[in-house]
């Protein structure tokens, strides 16, 4: 349900959170670059000197979210501490992978 609601309200979210809009533009540029490479498009030198040389305003690392939780059953029986043999661990990891490294 969350994914459906996010998709339906994407334009509104992108309008209020500029980073979402910027992420969409990066995705579009990545798809276009991949198409140009795979189709073997011959681009003149003018295409590579259109923009100004820019220095990045910050680090170029993609943020990644993660959350992990672990638990183990411990009990006392006849004055002796007993633990279960198998600890339980749950993790949720996320981030962005456009596959740009494949170019």
């Amino acid at each position: 349900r969350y994914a459906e609601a996010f998709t339906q309200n994407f334009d509104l979210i992108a309008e209020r959170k500029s980073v979402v809009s910027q992420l969409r533009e990066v995705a579009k540029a990545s798809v276009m670059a991949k198409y140009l490479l795979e189709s073997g498009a011959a681009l003149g030198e003018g295409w590579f000197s259109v923009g100004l040389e820019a220095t990045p305003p910050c680090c170029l690392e993609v943020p990644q979210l993660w959350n992990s939780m672990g638990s183990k059953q411990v009990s006392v029986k006849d004055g002796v501490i007993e633990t279960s043999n198998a600890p339980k661990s749950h993790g949720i990891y996320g981030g962005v992978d456009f596959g740009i490294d494949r170019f």
Side-chain angles (χ1 to χ4, degrees), residues 21-54:
S21 178
Q22 292 169 358
L23 188 59
R24 176 175 43 186
E25 296 304 313
V26 169
K28 288 180 187 178
S30 298
V31 169
M32 179 59 77
K34 184 173 184 176
Y35 170 77
L36 291 173
L37 282 173
E38 289 179 353
S39 68
L43 300 175
E45 188 61 36
W47 282 93
F48 300 104
S49 59
V50 171
L52 300 172
E53 181 97 18

Side-chain angles (χ1 to χ4, degrees), residues 67-88:
N67 189 2
S68 62
M69 179 181 76
S71 65
K72 191 166 186 173
Q73 185 71 33
V74 178
S75 61
V76 178
K77 186 175 183 181
D78 297 327
V80 178
I81 297 176
E82 295 180 347
T83 62
S84 63
N85 293 333
K88 295 179 182 178

Side-chain angles (χ1 to χ4, degrees), residues 6 10-29 98:
F6 186 86
F10 187 85
D11 291 330
L12 180 62
I13 295 168
E15 180 182 310
R16 293 185 180 177
K17 298 291 185 183
S18 65
V19 70
V20 174
S21 178
Q22 292 169 358
L23 188 59
R24 176 175 43 186
E25 296 304 313
V26 169
K28 288 180 187 178
F98 287 120

